[in-house]
Amino acid sequence: MTPTTYKEPTARGYYGQFGGAFIPEMLYPNVEELRDNYLTILADPEFQREYQQLLRDFVGRPTPLFEAKRLSKKYNTRIFLKREDLCHTGAHKVNNTVGQILLAQRLGKTRIIAETGAGQHGVATATVCALMGMECIVYMGSVDMERQRPNVERMRLLGAEVRPATSGSQTLKDATNEAIRDWISNPVDTHYIIGSVVGPHPYPDLVARLQAIISEEMRKQLLEKTGSELPQYVVACVGGGSNAAGAFYHFLDEPSVQLIAVEAAGHGITSGHSAATSVLGKPGIIHGSRTLLMQDEDGQITEPYSLSAGLDYPGIGPLHAYLAAEGRARFISIEDEPALRAVAECSRLEGIIPALETAHALAALGQLGAGPDDVVVINLSGRGDKDLETYMKYADTIK
Amino acid sequence: MNNRIQQAFQKQGKKLLNVYFTAGYPRLHDTVPVLKALTTAGADLIEIGMPFSDPLADGPVIQQSSTVALQNGMNMRVLFTQLKDIRNEVPETPILLMGYLNPVMQFGVENFCREAAAAGVDGVILPDLPLDDYVAEYQEIFRRYNLKPVFLITPQTAPSRIRRIDELTDSFLYLVSGPGTTGGANTQAEGVQDAYFQRIEDMQLRNPRLIGFGIADKASFQHACQYAEGAIIGSALIKALDGTDDAPAAAAKFVSSVLN
């Protein structure tokens, strides 16, 4: 059955067969409290006034929609970059954390926890906690702490405590496990700011709604610049999928707009070192949600791989799993190397050094099949400063 | 239909000790010898952990034991093969399987229930199985194989939800002693915890209760038993098995230290 809207999950948080809330009883009251209140709080005019004001004056929205003329020339199509890299803290993540910190305040919470992969969500959470004077603890895989050291230092400078996750692959998946355990141990005073459209209902819907500002602005800006609110393509990278959810949101129910989700294929889809969940995953449960999940035949979660810490996750958000299953979004896999080359291309053609995550989306440009009259919007989800050490290490590839 | 869990609560006049250990830990073929040693030493119910890569409700001790068990090659098929003849050797002690939903889903819920019942398993604990999903999709299957689901109750569980869980249960209620994952130290003031146990007792629920999480030795076992029909120990036993060459002997010694 074709749904009337892709945006809305059911009351129990399902997008088709994906979603739900598979959580231990210890988390039930927290998640229930959130579920029962988030829509009312988001709709409250006072919340909206405060949220919009912070987006404008603190985050720096609206972010520009920049016509990338030299990239356009190279790919013989009309390319726009939605400049989420110009958000305060350097990525789209802050749209969500600003919203959730206001939500946490209204729920009477005094302590904030978060998980982070690349560190962008951790920095965004530490930032809003500093802004609001709230205690902040960020869980980060010890491998990620190593490869994203500048962000660890940023979080500390902002007053957050960064706790290493040392189990499993010591990356985003394990940081998320630790954050969930913290929440289990601190069920009353703590709000867990999840950084992507993953986790138990209502998180996927909550985070998508807070990131939807991206596509809301895109439509207005496209109308001004092209005469039409609707492009032919919207392209975004997907780890958990929050920047893609935000970029797709207001186009989900516009069938003429092709939605392109770009996953990290690491060393190659069949190499055993990949994070391309839509290709390698099967329906399963991770972090409280039924979605596509990389796992072995016994249902043990497989450790994913990507050079990009932000895409190094064995699942995707249930909305994206649904878009993949319904064929509403097209999924493209990009390996480490072409992503690194896309970093150089964007830097030299447009004067913008993208995050390694975003570079995967840029690297998909050649595969879209877009023509000279088509409008392509790429969500430039973050800036590359945090990846400089990686870029230096792979200078030969980038050259 | 009556099953061994119900019988255990009916016939015992004493408080019950339920012990958890991870299948295939510390070595792949320790499952059955440890199980037998635990029952011989006097454990009244046994929970066998089905190892999972990402066990959200468990602390570091049980997670580590699961990692070792998985490395040893434990999985659902191996476990059911190991348990195949267990009822010849352990005829009466109730056996429960405890684990997470994803491996069970991948095995197939109906397959899982059929194999479990064939092995003589009496109950199942899946902490991330939502009540609504259980009722909508799995209750019928569980009933068909006479497997009793066990649900957790925490200090934050609302009274109306406790009543609903009690209605859906005909084995026992698993009272989580306080906030935290398995094996965590009890950070709550004793008075707060006792008030919670008392509050649940005063609700006069239809099912008996076992208290778990943070129960580690004779003293904490006996304390918990003041407010319930017994208690559950997991992480402390796993710790006692860590590094031993003779897991069954270590398991028996641990149970004796709690009971005697």
Side-chain angles (χ1 to χ4, degrees):
Chain A
M1 195 178 74
T2 309
T4 51
T5 175
Y6 284 94
K7 286 180 197 163
E8 303 269 344
T10 65
R12 279 168 58 198
Y14 280 94
Y15 302 88
Q17 62 162 311
F18 302 110
F22 297 86
I23 46 170
E25 183 64 26
M26 296 81 108
L27 285 181
Y28 186 84
N30 293 343
V31 171
E32 183 188 39
E33 181 185 33
L34 198 57
R35 189 195 64 202
D36 290 349
N37 291 292
Y38 82 110
L39 289 175
T40 315
I41 293 175
L42 291 189
D44 175 34
E46 181 52 28
F47 174 92
Q48 278 301 329
R49 193 192 60 75
E50 217 176 325
Y51 178 53
Q52 297 300 337
Q53 186 185 0
L54 282 171
L55 286 181
R56 190 180 66 233
D57 299 339
F58 189 69
V59 174
R61 303 204 73 91
T63 58
L65 185 72
F66 171 67
E67 182 157 12
K69 296 223 164 112
R70 297 183 69 204
L71 268 180
S72 297
K73 193 172 171 208
K74 168 150 193 195
Y75 289 98
N76 194 29
T77 186
R78 201 170 174 200
I79 298 170
F80 288 87
L81 303 177
K82 179 62 173 165
R83 298 291 309 276
E84 293 300 294
D85 60 315
L86 294 179
C87 287
H88 179 43
T89 72
H92 70 289
K93 293 288 188 186
V94 72
N95 303 325
N96 170 46
T97 60
V98 160
Q100 283 204 46
I101 199 92
L102 295 176
L103 186 66
Q105 283 182 329
R106 280 158 176 79
L107 292 172
K109 306 295 179 180
T110 55
R111 180 176 177 271
I112 298 293
I113 55 170
E115 87 296 334
T116 197
Q120 293 302 90
H121 173 58
V123 169
T125 306
T127 299
V128 297
C129 287
L131 178 72
M132 299 298 180
M134 291 241 229
E135 184 187 354
C136 180
I137 290 146
V138 179
Y139 290 89
M140 188 170 188
S142 39
V143 167
D144 290 339
M145 285 179 72
E146 195 51 48
R147 57 181 170 174
Q148 304 283 343
R149 215 161 5 148
N151 273 341
V152 174
E153 295 312 319
R154 277 188 195 103
M155 286 183 266
R156 288 179 176 150
L157 192 57
L158 290 159
E161 182 192 339
V162 184
R163 290 191 188 164
T166 55
S167 62
S169 54
Q170 307 177 13
T171 59
L172 180 55
K173 162 177 89 81
D174 312 287
T176 308
N177 288 340
E178 291 307 321
I180 290 173
R181 287 178 181 150
D182 182 309
W183 209 19
I184 286 173
S185 304
N186 298 283
V188 179
D189 63 342
T190 299
H191 175 70
Y192 178 15
I193 300 190
I194 292 186
S196 197
V197 284
V198 301
H201 176 66
Y203 277 104
D205 186 42
L206 168 63
V207 177
R209 285 168 187 265
L210 292 174
Q211 291 294 359
I213 184 72
I214 299 173
S215 48
E216 190 183 320
E217 289 176 4
M218 277 181 189
R219 287 185 73 130
K220 285 186 202 140
Q221 292 165 324
L222 282 165
L223 183 63
E224 274 171 31
K225 289 173 196 290
T226 70
S228 166
E229 285 183 48
L230 304 181
Q232 276 66 50
Y233 297 88
V234 179
V235 187
C237 64
V238 174
S242 72
N243 93 85
F248 294 169
Y249 199 83
H250 290 283
F251 302 110
L252 284 169
D253 299 322
E254 302 283 0
S256 72
V257 180
Q258 293 197 46
L259 307 176
I260 313 290
V262 185
E263 290 181 311
H267 293 331
I269 295 283
T270 54
S271 67
H273 299 277
S274 174
T277 305
S278 73
V279 185
L280 299 169
K282 287 182 300 176
I285 294 167
I286 183 169
H287 299 142
S289 165
R290 183 176 154 87
T291 188
L292 290 175
L293 170 62
M294 287 170 55
Q295 54 187 316
D296 67 16
E297 59 176 332
D298 296 324
Q300 308 296 342
I301 296 171
T302 310
E303 296 185 352
Y305 165 83
S306 166
L307 186 58
S308 153
L311 302 182
D312 198 353
Y313 186 70
I316 49 175
L319 167 64
H320 293 300
Y322 183 52
L323 297 178
E326 295 284 304
R328 173 68 190 96
R330 178 175 146 205
F331 280 69
I332 292 178
S333 313
I334 295 291
E335 295 179 16
D336 289 348
E337 239 185 77
L340 284 165
R341 285 199 299 271
V343 170
E345 184 176 82
C346 182
S347 302
R348 284 161 202 176
L349 288 180
E350 300 296 346
I352 297 168
I353 302 173
L356 190 45
E357 289 77 11
T358 311
H360 287 73
L362 291 162
L365 269 173
Q367 298 183 35
L368 299 182
D373 297 330
D374 287 339
V375 170
V376 177
V377 184
I378 297 184
N379 195 33
L380 209 125
S381 57
R383 63 178 177 234
D385 308 30
K386 69 181 177 65
D387 296 308
L388 207 56
E389 274 189 42
T390 307
Y391 295 163
M392 281 152 61
K393 196 170 153 197
Y394 291 92
D396 286 346
T397 311
I398 289 180
K399 174 178 74 185
Chain B
M1 202 187 336
N2 220 341
N3 92 353
R4 291 180 199 87
I5 301 174
Q6 293 161 325
Q7 286 162 6
F9 282 98
Q10 280 159 9
K11 74 179 174 202
Q12 299 277 352
K14 62 165 187 146
K15 299 295 181 178
L16 302 184
L17 171 64
N18 179 347
V19 285
Y20 166 98
F21 75 103
T22 305
Y25 179 84
R27 284 178 302 248
L28 182 62
H29 294 288
D30 280 331
T31 316
V32 170
V34 167
L35 172 57
K36 279 159 60 180
L38 291 169
T39 51
T40 308
D44 301 292
L45 299 92
I46 309 284
E47 269 175 48
I48 304 177
M50 304 177 284
F52 180 49
S53 56
D54 295 76
L56 292 183
D58 287 301
V61 171
I62 288 180
Q63 179 172 26
Q64 179 57 23
S65 72
S66 297
T67 304
V68 170
L70 290 171
Q71 281 163 357
N72 289 343
M74 180 47 69
N75 62 36
M76 216 79 87
R77 272 164 295 135
V78 171
L79 177 60
F80 286 130
T81 309
Q82 289 182 349
L83 295 181
K84 196 164 136 291
D85 300 317
I86 193 67
R87 284 305 174 193
N88 297 331
E89 309 194 51
V90 183
E92 285 183 16
T93 308
I95 297 175
L96 297 99
L97 296 180
M98 190 266 166
Y100 292 82
L101 191 52
N102 197 49
V104 172
M105 269 178 51
Q106 303 307 323
F107 193 78
V109 175
E110 173 118 33
N111 277 344
F112 169 81
C113 289
R114 185 186 306 113
E115 297 273 341
V121 169
D122 306 285
V124 178
I125 309 177
L126 297 168
D128 58 347
L129 170 60
L131 277 190
D132 289 336
D133 290 64
Y134 168 72
V135 172
E137 294 174 44
Y138 304 129
Q139 188 172 29
E140 218 16 72
I141 305 175
F142 275 50
R143 274 192 188 145
R144 208 177 309 146
Y145 293 98
N146 197 26
L147 285 173
K148 306 297 181 194
V150 174
F151 299 106
L152 275 54
I153 289 170
T154 81
Q156 272 73 43
T157 308
S160 58
R161 188 168 165 85
I162 294 175
R163 296 268 177 220
R164 180 160 183 238
I165 289 170
D166 189 40
E167 282 301 313
L168 289 172
T169 304
D170 51 3
S171 53
F172 66 88
L173 303 167
Y174 192 137
L175 256 60
V176 175
S177 64
T181 50
T182 56
N186 262 317
T187 49
Q188 286 199 120
E190 203 169 271
V192 173
Q193 195 177 65
D194 290 355
Y196 152 62
F197 294 152
Q198 190 62 54
R199 177 166 63 83
I200 305 293
E201 188 166 0
D202 292 345
M203 288 182 76
Q204 311 241 330
L205 301 167
R206 36 194 292 274
N207 286 281
R209 291 147 294 144
L210 296 180
I211 293 172
F213 286 48
I215 314 296
D217 51 23
K218 184 172 182 169
S220 47
F221 174 69
Q222 289 184 339
H223 181 79
C225 285
Q226 293 173 31
Y227 297 97
E229 281 74 12
I232 305 166
I233 300 185
S235 295
L237 169 62
I238 300 291
K239 272 187 208 160
L241 299 182
D242 183 24
T244 173
D245 289 332
D246 190 344
K253 191 174 156 208
F254 178 82
V255 169
S256 299
S257 76
V258 174
L259 292 179
N260 302 314

